[in-house]
Every structure is written in structure tokens, then in C-alpha cells.
mmCIF file of all heavy atoms in Angstrom:
data_model
loop_
_atom_site.group_PDB
_atom_site.id
_atom_site.type_symbol
_atom_site.label_atom_id
_atom_site.label_comp_id
_atom_site.label_asym_id
_atom_site.label_seq_id
_atom_site.Cartn_x
_atom_site.Cartn_y
_atom_site.Cartn_z
ATOM 1 N N GLN A 863 34.313 69.245 87.305
ATOM 2 C CA GLN A 863 33.665 70.312 86.529
ATOM 3 C C GLN A 863 34.475 71.618 86.528
ATOM 4 O O GLN A 863 33.957 72.655 86.125
ATOM 5 C CB GLN A 863 32.262 70.561 87.037
ATOM 6 C CG GLN A 863 31.355 69.311 86.935
ATOM 7 C CD GLN A 863 29.890 69.700 87.079
ATOM 8 O OE1 GLN A 863 29.363 70.549 86.350
ATOM 9 N NE2 GLN A 863 29.212 69.075 88.000
ATOM 10 N N GLY A 864 35.718 71.535 87.002
ATOM 11 C CA GLY A 864 36.570 72.723 86.974
ATOM 12 C C GLY A 864 37.240 72.946 88.303
ATOM 13 O O GLY A 864 37.714 72.022 88.965
ATOM 14 N N THR A 865 37.245 74.177 88.760
ATOM 15 C CA THR A 865 37.868 74.570 90.012
ATOM 16 C C THR A 865 36.995 75.529 90.764
ATOM 17 O O THR A 865 36.403 76.463 90.164
ATOM 18 C CB THR A 865 39.240 75.242 89.753
ATOM 19 O OG1 THR A 865 40.127 74.308 89.067
ATOM 20 C CG2 THR A 865 39.915 75.645 91.072
ATOM 21 N N THR A 866 36.863 75.325 92.067
ATOM 22 C CA THR A 866 36.139 76.247 92.939
ATOM 23 C C THR A 866 37.110 76.707 94.002
ATOM 24 O O THR A 866 37.752 75.920 94.671
ATOM 25 C CB THR A 866 34.934 75.554 93.621
ATOM 26 O OG1 THR A 866 34.004 75.140 92.644
ATOM 27 C CG2 THR A 866 34.286 76.478 94.628
ATOM 28 N N VAL A 867 37.240 78.026 94.130
ATOM 29 C CA VAL A 867 38.141 78.617 95.121
ATOM 30 C C VAL A 867 37.290 78.992 96.353
ATOM 31 O O VAL A 867 36.357 79.800 96.228
ATOM 32 C CB VAL A 867 38.884 79.834 94.585
ATOM 33 C CG1 VAL A 867 39.787 80.449 95.670
ATOM 34 C CG2 VAL A 867 39.714 79.453 93.369
ATOM 35 N N ALA A 868 37.616 78.420 97.508
ATOM 36 C CA ALA A 868 36.844 78.643 98.742
ATOM 37 C C ALA A 868 37.735 79.226 99.824
ATOM 38 O O ALA A 868 38.952 78.939 99.869
ATOM 39 C CB ALA A 868 36.239 77.331 99.214
ATOM 40 N N ALA A 869 37.169 80.029 100.689
ATOM 41 C CA ALA A 869 37.909 80.532 101.832
ATOM 42 C C ALA A 869 38.222 79.415 102.796
ATOM 43 O O ALA A 869 39.324 79.323 103.350
ATOM 44 C CB ALA A 869 37.122 81.627 102.528
ATOM 45 N N GLN A 870 37.269 78.494 102.975
ATOM 46 C CA GLN A 870 37.459 77.325 103.842
ATOM 47 C C GLN A 870 36.659 76.163 103.283
ATOM 48 O O GLN A 870 35.684 76.332 102.572
ATOM 49 C CB GLN A 870 36.953 77.643 105.278
ATOM 50 C CG GLN A 870 37.799 78.651 106.050
ATOM 51 C CD GLN A 870 37.193 78.913 107.410
ATOM 52 O OE1 GLN A 870 36.018 79.334 107.507
ATOM 53 N NE2 GLN A 870 37.944 78.661 108.450
ATOM 54 N N ALA A 871 37.079 74.952 103.689
ATOM 55 C CA ALA A 871 36.367 73.755 103.211
ATOM 56 C C ALA A 871 36.345 72.691 104.303
ATOM 57 O O ALA A 871 37.225 72.643 105.166
ATOM 58 C CB ALA A 871 37.070 73.186 101.957
ATOM 59 N N VAL A 872 35.312 71.889 104.257
ATOM 60 C CA VAL A 872 35.186 70.713 105.111
ATOM 61 C C VAL A 872 35.054 69.493 104.216
ATOM 62 O O VAL A 872 34.208 69.471 103.308
ATOM 63 C CB VAL A 872 33.981 70.799 106.059
ATOM 64 C CG1 VAL A 872 33.866 69.514 106.890
ATOM 65 C CG2 VAL A 872 34.110 72.014 106.970
ATOM 66 N N PHE A 873 35.874 68.475 104.426
ATOM 67 C CA PHE A 873 35.863 67.254 103.638
ATOM 68 C C PHE A 873 35.180 66.159 104.434
ATOM 69 O O PHE A 873 35.668 65.679 105.459
ATOM 70 C CB PHE A 873 37.292 66.839 103.295
ATOM 71 C CG PHE A 873 37.935 67.754 102.277
ATOM 72 C CD1 PHE A 873 38.450 68.998 102.668
ATOM 73 C CD2 PHE A 873 38.070 67.355 100.954
ATOM 74 C CE1 PHE A 873 39.069 69.822 101.752
ATOM 75 C CE2 PHE A 873 38.682 68.217 100.022
ATOM 76 C CZ PHE A 873 39.151 69.436 100.429
ATOM 77 N N CYS A 874 34.014 65.734 103.938
ATOM 78 C CA CYS A 874 33.241 64.604 104.537
ATOM 79 C C CYS A 874 33.117 63.519 103.453
ATOM 80 O O CYS A 874 32.027 63.199 103.004
ATOM 81 C CB CYS A 874 31.872 65.076 105.006
ATOM 82 S SG CYS A 874 31.924 66.377 106.244
ATOM 83 N N ALA A 875 34.252 63.021 103.026
ATOM 84 C CA ALA A 875 34.331 62.213 101.797
ATOM 85 C C ALA A 875 34.204 60.711 102.065
ATOM 86 O O ALA A 875 34.394 59.928 101.124
ATOM 87 C CB ALA A 875 35.590 62.547 101.018
ATOM 88 N N GLY A 876 33.964 60.277 103.275
ATOM 89 C CA GLY A 876 33.700 58.888 103.549
ATOM 90 C C GLY A 876 34.758 57.931 103.079
ATOM 91 O O GLY A 876 35.901 57.958 103.537
ATOM 92 N N LEU A 877 34.400 57.108 102.143
ATOM 93 C CA LEU A 877 35.306 56.051 101.625
ATOM 94 C C LEU A 877 36.538 56.607 100.967
ATOM 95 O O LEU A 877 37.553 55.907 100.816
ATOM 96 C CB LEU A 877 34.545 55.153 100.638
ATOM 97 C CG LEU A 877 33.509 54.210 101.314
ATOM 98 C CD1 LEU A 877 32.443 53.812 100.327
ATOM 99 C CD2 LEU A 877 34.226 52.997 101.866
ATOM 100 N N TRP A 878 36.502 57.864 100.558
ATOM 101 C CA TRP A 878 37.657 58.465 99.867
ATOM 102 C C TRP A 878 38.268 59.599 100.736
ATOM 103 O O TRP A 878 39.057 60.403 100.224
ATOM 104 C CB TRP A 878 37.230 59.001 98.479
ATOM 105 C CG TRP A 878 36.859 57.869 97.593
ATOM 106 C CD1 TRP A 878 37.693 57.173 96.760
ATOM 107 C CD2 TRP A 878 35.594 57.254 97.445
ATOM 108 N NE1 TRP A 878 37.019 56.163 96.099
ATOM 109 C CE2 TRP A 878 35.724 56.191 96.518
ATOM 110 C CE3 TRP A 878 34.334 57.486 98.006
ATOM 111 C CZ2 TRP A 878 34.638 55.402 96.140
ATOM 112 C CZ3 TRP A 878 33.257 56.674 97.644
ATOM 113 C CH2 TRP A 878 33.423 55.629 96.694
ATOM 114 N N SER A 879 37.954 59.598 102.009
ATOM 115 C CA SER A 879 38.413 60.688 102.883
ATOM 116 C C SER A 879 39.910 60.720 103.044
ATOM 117 O O SER A 879 40.536 61.805 103.103
ATOM 118 C CB SER A 879 37.747 60.580 104.270
ATOM 119 O OG SER A 879 38.051 59.329 104.858
ATOM 120 N N ASP A 880 40.560 59.566 103.111
ATOM 121 C CA ASP A 880 42.016 59.558 103.334
ATOM 122 C C ASP A 880 42.739 60.113 102.101
ATOM 123 O O ASP A 880 43.732 60.873 102.214
ATOM 124 C CB ASP A 880 42.504 58.185 103.700
ATOM 125 C CG ASP A 880 42.159 57.097 102.666
ATOM 126 O OD1 ASP A 880 41.215 57.311 101.865
ATOM 127 O OD2 ASP A 880 42.851 56.060 102.638
ATOM 128 N N ARG A 881 42.314 59.729 100.902
ATOM 129 C CA ARG A 881 42.981 60.209 99.701
ATOM 130 C C ARG A 881 42.900 61.727 99.580
ATOM 131 O O ARG A 881 43.894 62.384 99.250
ATOM 132 C CB ARG A 881 42.325 59.561 98.467
ATOM 133 C CG ARG A 881 42.663 58.090 98.297
ATOM 134 C CD ARG A 881 42.032 57.551 97.051
ATOM 135 N NE ARG A 881 42.226 56.103 96.915
ATOM 136 C CZ ARG A 881 41.541 55.331 96.123
ATOM 137 N NH1 ARG A 881 40.620 55.837 95.312
ATOM 138 N NH2 ARG A 881 41.804 54.030 96.072
ATOM 139 N N LEU A 882 41.763 62.288 99.802
ATOM 140 C CA LEU A 882 41.605 63.713 99.675
ATOM 141 C C LEU A 882 42.365 64.450 100.799
ATOM 142 O O LEU A 882 42.958 65.499 100.550
ATOM 143 C CB LEU A 882 40.150 64.114 99.699
ATOM 144 C CG LEU A 882 39.354 63.726 98.432
ATOM 145 C CD1 LEU A 882 37.896 64.106 98.560
ATOM 146 C CD2 LEU A 882 39.963 64.414 97.209
ATOM 147 N N ALA A 883 42.375 63.866 101.988
ATOM 148 C CA ALA A 883 43.133 64.493 103.102
ATOM 149 C C ALA A 883 44.602 64.518 102.781
ATOM 150 O O ALA A 883 45.293 65.556 102.931
ATOM 151 C CB ALA A 883 42.881 63.744 104.401
ATOM 152 N N VAL A 884 45.160 63.386 102.300
ATOM 153 C CA VAL A 884 46.597 63.316 101.952
ATOM 154 C C VAL A 884 46.891 64.272 100.812
ATOM 155 O O VAL A 884 47.938 64.927 100.795
ATOM 156 C CB VAL A 884 46.970 61.875 101.631
ATOM 157 C CG1 VAL A 884 48.391 61.792 101.047
ATOM 158 C CG2 VAL A 884 46.879 60.997 102.878
ATOM 159 N N ALA A 885 45.996 64.372 99.835
ATOM 160 C CA ALA A 885 46.199 65.279 98.705
ATOM 161 C C ALA A 885 46.259 66.744 99.153
ATOM 162 O O ALA A 885 46.787 67.576 98.425
ATOM 163 C CB ALA A 885 45.111 65.073 97.654
ATOM 164 N N CYS A 886 45.686 67.036 100.320
ATOM 165 C CA CYS A 886 45.718 68.381 100.877
ATOM 166 C C CYS A 886 46.828 68.591 101.874
ATOM 167 O O CYS A 886 46.932 69.651 102.484
ATOM 168 C CB CYS A 886 44.364 68.707 101.533
ATOM 169 S SG CYS A 886 42.982 68.797 100.374
ATOM 170 N N GLY A 887 47.674 67.552 102.070
ATOM 171 C CA GLY A 887 48.791 67.691 102.959
ATOM 172 C C GLY A 887 48.645 67.076 104.344
ATOM 173 O O GLY A 887 49.519 67.215 105.191
ATOM 174 N N ALA A 888 47.564 66.319 104.582
ATOM 175 C CA ALA A 888 47.373 65.634 105.870
ATOM 176 C C ALA A 888 48.246 64.389 105.922
ATOM 177 O O ALA A 888 48.675 63.875 104.875
ATOM 178 C CB ALA A 888 45.917 65.273 106.064
ATOM 179 N N PRO A 889 48.508 63.837 107.086
ATOM 180 C CA PRO A 889 49.316 62.627 107.188
ATOM 181 C C PRO A 889 48.612 61.420 106.549
ATOM 182 O O PRO A 889 47.371 61.374 106.434
ATOM 183 C CB PRO A 889 49.477 62.429 108.699
ATOM 184 C CG PRO A 889 48.367 63.190 109.339
ATOM 185 C CD PRO A 889 48.105 64.361 108.430
ATOM 186 N N ALA A 890 49.397 60.438 106.150
ATOM 187 C CA ALA A 890 48.871 59.249 105.518
ATOM 188 C C ALA A 890 48.120 58.359 106.505
ATOM 189 O O ALA A 890 47.269 57.559 106.135
ATOM 190 C CB ALA A 890 50.006 58.433 104.884
ATOM 191 N N ASP A 891 48.429 58.487 107.771
ATOM 192 C CA ASP A 891 47.839 57.681 108.821
ATOM 193 C C ASP A 891 46.669 58.435 109.460
ATOM 194 O O ASP A 891 46.855 59.595 109.880
ATOM 195 C CB ASP A 891 48.924 57.392 109.862
ATOM 196 C CG ASP A 891 48.596 56.255 110.793
ATOM 197 O OD1 ASP A 891 47.465 55.793 110.797
ATOM 198 O OD2 ASP A 891 49.497 55.850 111.576
ATOM 199 N N PRO A 892 45.463 57.855 109.522
ATOM 200 C CA PRO A 892 45.117 56.469 109.185
ATOM 201 C C PRO A 892 44.662 56.324 107.724
ATOM 202 O O PRO A 892 44.325 57.298 107.099
ATOM 203 C CB PRO A 892 43.940 56.182 110.138
ATOM 204 C CG PRO A 892 43.240 57.491 110.265
ATOM 205 C CD PRO A 892 44.365 58.534 110.228
ATOM 206 N N ARG A 893 44.665 55.087 107.268
ATOM 207 C CA ARG A 893 44.239 54.734 105.923
ATOM 208 C C ARG A 893 42.846 54.139 105.999
ATOM 209 O O ARG A 893 42.531 53.402 106.902
ATOM 210 C CB ARG A 893 45.228 53.694 105.356
ATOM 211 C CG ARG A 893 44.842 53.026 104.015
ATOM 212 C CD ARG A 893 44.917 53.941 102.849
ATOM 213 N NE ARG A 893 46.215 54.609 102.728
ATOM 214 C CZ ARG A 893 47.288 54.048 102.159
ATOM 215 N NH1 ARG A 893 47.240 52.833 101.675
ATOM 216 N NH2 ARG A 893 48.431 54.731 102.064
ATOM 217 N N ILE A 894 42.002 54.458 104.996
ATOM 218 C CA ILE A 894 40.707 53.797 104.888
ATOM 219 C C ILE A 894 40.866 52.429 104.274
ATOM 220 O O ILE A 894 41.427 52.273 103.188
ATOM 221 C CB ILE A 894 39.736 54.649 104.051
ATOM 222 C CG1 ILE A 894 39.357 55.961 104.776
ATOM 223 C CG2 ILE A 894 38.446 53.844 103.739
ATOM 224 C CD1 ILE A 894 38.638 55.775 106.065
ATOM 225 N N VAL A 895 40.418 51.417 104.995
ATOM 226 C CA VAL A 895 40.367 50.040 104.471
ATOM 227 C C VAL A 895 38.885 49.673 104.427
ATOM 228 O O VAL A 895 38.172 49.684 105.429
ATOM 229 C CB VAL A 895 41.130 49.056 105.369
ATOM 230 C CG1 VAL A 895 40.924 47.634 104.930
ATOM 231 C CG2 VAL A 895 42.632 49.400 105.347
ATOM 232 N N PRO A 896 38.335 49.411 103.209
ATOM 233 C CA PRO A 896 36.895 49.165 103.073
ATOM 234 C C PRO A 896 36.510 47.761 103.568
ATOM 235 O O PRO A 896 37.168 46.779 103.227
ATOM 236 C CB PRO A 896 36.678 49.325 101.598
ATOM 237 C CG PRO A 896 37.983 48.934 100.946
ATOM 238 C CD PRO A 896 39.045 49.385 101.901
ATOM 239 N N PHE A 897 35.439 47.695 104.358
ATOM 240 C CA PHE A 897 34.889 46.435 104.797
ATOM 241 C C PHE A 897 33.438 46.340 104.255
ATOM 242 O O PHE A 897 32.626 47.232 104.499
ATOM 243 C CB PHE A 897 34.870 46.342 106.323
ATOM 244 C CG PHE A 897 36.195 45.955 106.918
ATOM 245 C CD1 PHE A 897 37.160 46.935 107.123
ATOM 246 C CD2 PHE A 897 36.484 44.657 107.222
ATOM 247 C CE1 PHE A 897 38.396 46.606 107.659
ATOM 248 C CE2 PHE A 897 37.726 44.308 107.763
ATOM 249 C CZ PHE A 897 38.691 45.287 107.985
ATOM 250 N N ARG A 898 33.189 45.266 103.545
ATOM 251 C CA ARG A 898 31.847 45.060 103.016
ATOM 252 C C ARG A 898 30.946 44.396 104.024
ATOM 253 O O ARG A 898 31.299 43.361 104.607
ATOM 254 C CB ARG A 898 31.923 44.187 101.749
ATOM 255 C CG ARG A 898 30.561 43.970 101.082
ATOM 256 C CD ARG A 898 30.698 43.065 99.875
ATOM 257 N NE ARG A 898 29.470 42.893 99.128
ATOM 258 C CZ ARG A 898 28.503 42.027 99.432
ATOM 259 N NH1 ARG A 898 28.654 41.211 100.456
ATOM 260 N NH2 ARG A 898 27.414 41.954 98.682
ATOM 261 N N GLY A 899 29.808 45.006 104.277
ATOM 262 C CA GLY A 899 28.810 44.416 105.152
ATOM 263 C C GLY A 899 27.616 43.969 104.377
ATOM 264 O O GLY A 899 26.912 44.780 103.774
ATOM 265 N N GLY A 900 27.410 42.677 104.331
ATOM 266 C CA GLY A 900 26.275 42.118 103.613
ATOM 267 C C GLY A 900 25.194 41.625 104.572
ATOM 268 O O GLY A 900 25.509 41.076 105.629
ATOM 269 N N TYR A 901 23.925 41.822 104.193
ATOM 270 C CA TYR A 901 22.779 41.379 105.020
ATOM 271 C C TYR A 901 22.030 40.274 104.334
ATOM 272 O O TYR A 901 22.030 40.161 103.108
ATOM 273 C CB TYR A 901 21.810 42.533 105.271
ATOM 274 C CG TYR A 901 22.290 43.611 106.217
ATOM 275 C CD1 TYR A 901 22.994 44.699 105.736
ATOM 276 C CD2 TYR A 901 22.005 43.539 107.578
ATOM 277 C CE1 TYR A 901 23.418 45.705 106.602
ATOM 278 C CE2 TYR A 901 22.419 44.541 108.428
ATOM 279 C CZ TYR A 901 23.143 45.608 107.952
ATOM 280 O OH TYR A 901 23.562 46.612 108.800
ATOM 281 N N LEU A 902 21.374 39.454 105.124
ATOM 282 C CA LEU A 902 20.367 38.531 104.664
ATOM 283 C C LEU A 902 18.999 39.056 105.085
ATOM 284 O O LEU A 902 18.899 39.718 106.122
ATOM 285 C CB LEU A 902 20.560 37.130 105.243
ATOM 286 C CG LEU A 902 21.856 36.408 104.906
ATOM 287 C CD1 LEU A 902 21.939 35.118 105.671
ATOM 288 C CD2 LEU A 902 21.961 36.147 103.400
ATOM 289 N N LYS A 903 17.973 38.749 104.306
ATOM 290 C CA LYS A 903 16.617 39.171 104.669
ATOM 291 C C LYS A 903 15.792 37.950 105.003
ATOM 292 O O LYS A 903 15.718 36.996 104.210
ATOM 293 C CB LYS A 903 15.995 39.952 103.503
ATOM 294 C CG LYS A 903 14.624 40.535 103.782
ATOM 295 C CD LYS A 903 14.249 41.577 102.768
ATOM 296 C CE LYS A 903 14.140 41.008 101.366
ATOM 297 N NZ LYS A 903 13.666 42.010 100.392
ATOM 298 N N LEU A 904 15.203 37.948 106.215
ATOM 299 C CA LEU A 904 14.363 36.822 106.607
ATOM 300 C C LEU A 904 13.077 36.753 105.791
ATOM 301 O O LEU A 904 12.498 37.790 105.439
ATOM 302 C CB LEU A 904 13.979 36.953 108.090
ATOM 303 C CG LEU A 904 15.020 36.485 109.123
ATOM 304 C CD1 LEU A 904 14.496 36.822 110.534
ATOM 305 C CD2 LEU A 904 15.309 35.018 109.005
ATOM 306 N N ALA A 905 12.635 35.548 105.500
ATOM 307 C CA ALA A 905 11.349 35.342 104.849
ATOM 308 C C ALA A 905 10.250 35.868 105.812
ATOM 309 O O ALA A 905 10.430 35.861 107.016
ATOM 310 C CB ALA A 905 11.129 33.863 104.558
ATOM 311 N N PRO A 906 9.129 36.332 105.245
ATOM 312 C CA PRO A 906 8.093 36.979 106.076
ATOM 313 C C PRO A 906 7.649 36.116 107.257
ATOM 314 O O PRO A 906 7.397 36.667 108.352
ATOM 315 C CB PRO A 906 6.950 37.176 105.086
ATOM 316 C CG PRO A 906 7.636 37.361 103.751
ATOM 317 C CD PRO A 906 8.827 36.443 103.804
#
């Protein structure tokens, strides 16, 4: 939606945290590798 200029920022971007950190100059290590966790639901 544009640009916001902030004095300070905290990035809590979860699944996309590594990309945004690297885009701000942080090291590439570690990399986010997504793991899918699927559940089964027991019958009543």
C-alpha cells in the first residue's frame, strides 16, 4: 500500500521471516524450510 517510514521496526514474519531479514541486510543463514503438519480427527 505504499511506504511507511519508521524510526524502528520489528519483523515477526513467520514463514517469510528469512526473506525480509535478508532484504534488510541480515545473513542468509538460517533459511526457512516449510514443514507441513497434518492432523487426523478421531471419530467421537
